[in-house]
């Protein structure tokens, strides 16, 4: 495998570095690269800065970098995209575009399945961060077994009438649109009776009820649909094709969730904490148990980076990247939970002090990480489900009946 870059690719790297030196709003900050808007209390104050950042990236064609030129993106190559992400990661820049779900999976699904009208309507607003999306897949009785969903849409002329409930809908309180899975055919097999709709959150009949998590944040909500009317032209793909649209979207979700740069930053920050925090009368990093855990984290993160390069190689060869992304998603869940635990363990008894307590180390950052990640790992498919995917679709083990 040849990891060297062409002169043109190196020139692109220089261009990215010069841009970041001038425009990165996180210059000099310790914030992890790619931290989502909403993860920090400073976000509201920093929103104008982030919007200016998004606009500067957009003008360069660096939001939705690899999306095709026909939809207003730059149609950039995969290697350049990797360079862009790598340099932004090293510089701890914010995410490359603010419309998180729009960029991660809604946009790619619209590009693949959308009509020309839908592409023109939705994609530019995702690139310019003018509209934000949420994802209405899960229901109270349908999570891992998503295909059993019951939220229904009945055709009435050139509209669908939607009734039912979604749950755990991240960012539903702020999004302008929801990508929604509904059942349009109760007689067909459970996978083929599903349709995907693009629904404005301000539509009459939608009620959003926020849900609070154990870390004190309110990242998601229940969403109720009571005779909500949706234009048929807002259907993504054909009627009954919703499952295929979702599979595309979820494979983008799993690959984008698996970014490793922020993990490397967290690891660097953990080592730094280990030098500052005192455990059993000496610097935590001198404790053999702590060193072993740091080493294990480091080797897992490196394995994830190399796995990521494997996916990239497949993509460069024009091969589809499918179930393999579940490997990094699974590893990431384990690594993130360990990062939070290790950050707290290194602080000894101070590890119990959360944000706002006098004496909380690093503003309670590691405690928040520990309380957040156990829930985040479930989003996009639980670890058990990832293991099933790996067993059945990569290792070819017998299907769980
Ligand atoms: C932070 C967060 C954000 C989320 N954001 C969204 C969102 O924006 N939009 C959205 O639609 N959903 C979202 N979800 C929902 C998420 O996708 C579901 O919670 C997830 O798919 C699991 O479904 P469930 O909660 O119904 O659990 P269940 O499917 O009921 O699972 C319960 C337990 O059973 C295990 N299990 C289930 N089936 C199997 C199996 N076949 N083999 C082995 N074990 C199994 C699971 O691993 C789990 O431990 C979010 C969830 C979280 C926690």
């Amino acid at each position: 495998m040849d990891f060297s870059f062409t002169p043109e690719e190196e020139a692109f790297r220089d261009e990215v570095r010069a841009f970041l030196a001038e425009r990165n709003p996180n210059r000099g900050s310790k914030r992890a690269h790619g931290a989502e808007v909403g993860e920090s209390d400073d976000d509201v104050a920093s929103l104008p800065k982030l919007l200016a950042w998004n606009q500067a990236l957009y003008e360069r064609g660096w939001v939705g970098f690899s999306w095709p030129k026909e939809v207003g993106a730059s149609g950039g190559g995969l290697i350049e995209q990797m360079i862009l992400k790598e340099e932004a990661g090293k510089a701890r820049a914010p995410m490359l575009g603010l419309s998180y779900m729009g960029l991660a999976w809604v946009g790619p699904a619209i590009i693949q399945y959308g009509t020309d009208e839908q592409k023109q309507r939705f994609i530019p607003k995702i690139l310019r961060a003018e509209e934000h999306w949420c994802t209405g897949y899960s229901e109270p009785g349908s999570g891992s077994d998503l295909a059993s969903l019951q939220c229904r849409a009945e055709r009435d002329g050139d509209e669908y009438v939607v009734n039912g409930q979604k749950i755990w809908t991240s960012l539903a309180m702020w999004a302008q649109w929801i990508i929604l899975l509904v059942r349009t055919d109760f007689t067909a097999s459970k996978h083929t009776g599903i349709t995907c709709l693009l629904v404005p959150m301000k539509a009459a009949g939608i009620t959003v009820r926020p849900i609070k998590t154990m870390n004190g944040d309110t990242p998601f909500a229940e969403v109720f649909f009571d005779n909500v009317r949706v234009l048929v032209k807002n259907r993504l793909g054909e009627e009954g094709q919703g499952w295929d649209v979702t599979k595309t979207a979820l494979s983008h979700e799993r690959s984008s969730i698996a970014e490793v740069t922020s993990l490397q930053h967290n690891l660097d920050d953990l080592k730094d904490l280990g030098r500052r925090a005192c455990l059993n009368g000496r610097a935590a990093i001198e404790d053999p148990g702590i060193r072993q855990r740091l080493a294990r984290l480091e080797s897992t993160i490196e394995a994830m980076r190399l796995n990521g390069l494997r996916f990239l190689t497949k993509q460069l060869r024009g091969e589809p990247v499918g179930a393999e992304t579940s490997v990094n998603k699974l590893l990431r869940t384990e690594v993130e939970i360990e990062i939070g635990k290790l950050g707290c363990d290194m602080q000894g008894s101070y590890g119990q002090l959360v944000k706002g307590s006098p004496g909380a180390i690093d503003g309670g950052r590691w405690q928040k990480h520990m309380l957040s990640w156990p829930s985040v790992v479930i989003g996009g498919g639980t670890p058990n489900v990832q293991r099933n995917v790996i067993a059945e679709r990569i290792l070819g083990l017998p299907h769980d009946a």
Side-chain angles (χ1 to χ4, degrees):
M1 200 183 281
D2 181 7
F3 285 130
S4 54
F5 294 96
T6 65
E8 292 77 21
E9 286 158 359
E10 289 297 357
F12 179 69
R13 189 185 290 281
D14 290 342
E15 186 190 339
V16 174
R17 281 187 184 157
F19 172 83
L20 287 167
E22 198 190 327
R23 302 301 296 263
N24 175 11
N26 284 354
R27 271 188 314 262
S29 141
K30 273 275 187 189
R31 187 176 177 140
H33 163 65
E36 273 176 50
V37 177
E39 282 185 2
S40 147
D41 290 346
D42 301 334
D43 280 332
V44 174
S46 64
L47 203 54
K49 242 174 28 175
L50 289 171
L51 286 170
W53 162 248
N54 192 91
Q55 181 62 19
L57 286 166
Y58 173 70
E59 283 164 11
R60 290 267 176 153
W62 290 354
V63 186
F65 184 80
S66 61
W67 292 6
K69 287 192 172 134
E70 310 83 89
V71 298
S74 65
L78 284 169
I79 296 280
E80 284 83 1
Q81 185 178 39
M82 187 195 87
I83 291 171
L84 179 59
K85 283 187 178 177
E86 201 172 69
E87 291 303 321
K90 280 187 205 156
R92 297 193 183 222
M95 288 196 304
L96 299 169
L98 297 186
S99 180
Y100 173 61
M101 292 190 214
L103 287 165
W105 57 86
V106 179
I110 292 176
I111 289 170
Q112 187 165 341
Y113 290 96
T115 60
D116 287 344
E117 192 185 342
Q118 286 171 340
K119 288 177 198 169
Q120 280 161 20
R121 164 64 187 81
F122 294 114
I123 300 293
K125 287 182 184 292
I126 291 175
L127 294 173
R128 292 199 295 260
E130 287 170 0
E131 283 179 346
H132 294 266
W133 285 78
C134 61
T135 304
Y137 294 168
S138 307
E139 296 179 8
S142 304
S144 303
D145 183 17
L146 184 58
S148 66
L149 63 90
Q150 294 296 310
C151 183
R152 63 164 63 218
E154 277 144 323
R155 184 86 180 246
D156 181 18
D158 60 358
E159 291 178 327
Y160 286 103
V161 182
V162 180
N163 281 289
Q165 184 197 342
K166 296 290 169 178
I167 194 167
W168 318 122
T169 316
S170 300
L171 307 182
M173 301 76 89
W174 302 290
Q176 285 83 31
W177 288 84
I178 182 166
I179 182 168
L180 184 70
L181 281 187
V182 289
R183 188 162 296 285
T184 40
D185 185 347
F186 279 80
T187 58
S189 76
K190 67 179 187 178
H191 289 91
T192 53
I194 294 174
T195 299
C196 182
L197 301 177
L198 308 175
V199 184
M201 288 298 284
K202 62 174 197 281
I206 296 185
T207 307
V208 176
R209 199 186 293 160
I211 306 171
K212 198 170 184 168
T213 65
M214 69 175 169
N215 75 9
D217 287 348
T218 308
F220 41 38
E222 293 176 283
V223 184
F224 299 88
F225 298 82
D226 182 12
N227 286 322
V228 176
R229 293 194 158 260
V230 182
L231 290 170
V232 170
K233 71 172 187 172
N234 279 358
R235 185 183 69 212
L236 184 58
E238 297 301 317
E239 196 168 290
Q241 206 183 13
W243 192 250
D244 294 334
V245 175
T246 308
K247 272 198 309 198
T248 307
L250 279 179
S251 80
H252 282 282
E253 172 172 12
R254 283 173 192 153
S255 56
S256 50
I257 281 176
E259 306 278 358
V260 294
T261 331
S262 70
L263 299 179
Q264 283 166 334
H265 288 316
N266 277 321
L267 181 63
D268 291 344
D269 294 350
L270 271 180
K271 289 179 191 168
D272 176 53
L273 171 68
R275 289 182 204 101
R276 289 181 284 121
C278 180
L279 187 65
N280 300 326
R282 58 183 172 180
I285 204 159
E286 287 172 23
D287 181 286
I290 297 286
R291 295 173 78 83
Q292 205 168 49
R293 287 169 71 183
L294 282 169
R296 198 174 301 135
L297 270 180
E298 182 140 15
S299 48
T300 310
I301 293 170
E302 179 60 7
M304 290 175 68
R305 193 182 69 82
L306 295 173
N307 253 344
L309 289 176
R310 227 187 249 172
F311 309 148
L312 183 71
T313 310
K314 275 191 95 173
Q315 284 175 304
L316 287 172
R317 289 195 194 123
E319 296 169 21
V321 177
E324 296 94 325
T325 55
S326 289
V327 175
N328 269 9
K329 163 100 168 62
L330 179 63
L331 286 175
R332 178 161 191 188
T333 63
E334 289 167 3
V335 166
E336 292 279 12
I337 290 175
E338 173 63 357
I339 285 173
K341 277 191 191 157
L342 187 51
C344 293
D345 289 349
M346 285 204 280
Q347 299 172 32
S349 48
Y350 281 84
Q352 299 168 63
L353 299 177
V354 293
K355 181 181 172 187
S357 313
I361 294 176
D362 290 346
R365 163 186 172 180
W366 305 104
Q367 288 75 2
K368 173 135 190 199
H369 203 105
M370 190 171 83
L371 292 173
S372 304
W373 268 92
S375 84
V376 179
V377 298
I378 299 168
T382 67
N384 286 346
V385 168
Q386 306 303 328
R387 287 190 186 95
N388 284 352
V389 171
I390 293 166
E392 290 164 16
R393 292 176 36 206
I394 303 181
L395 302 176
L397 296 179
H399 185 70
D400 179 24

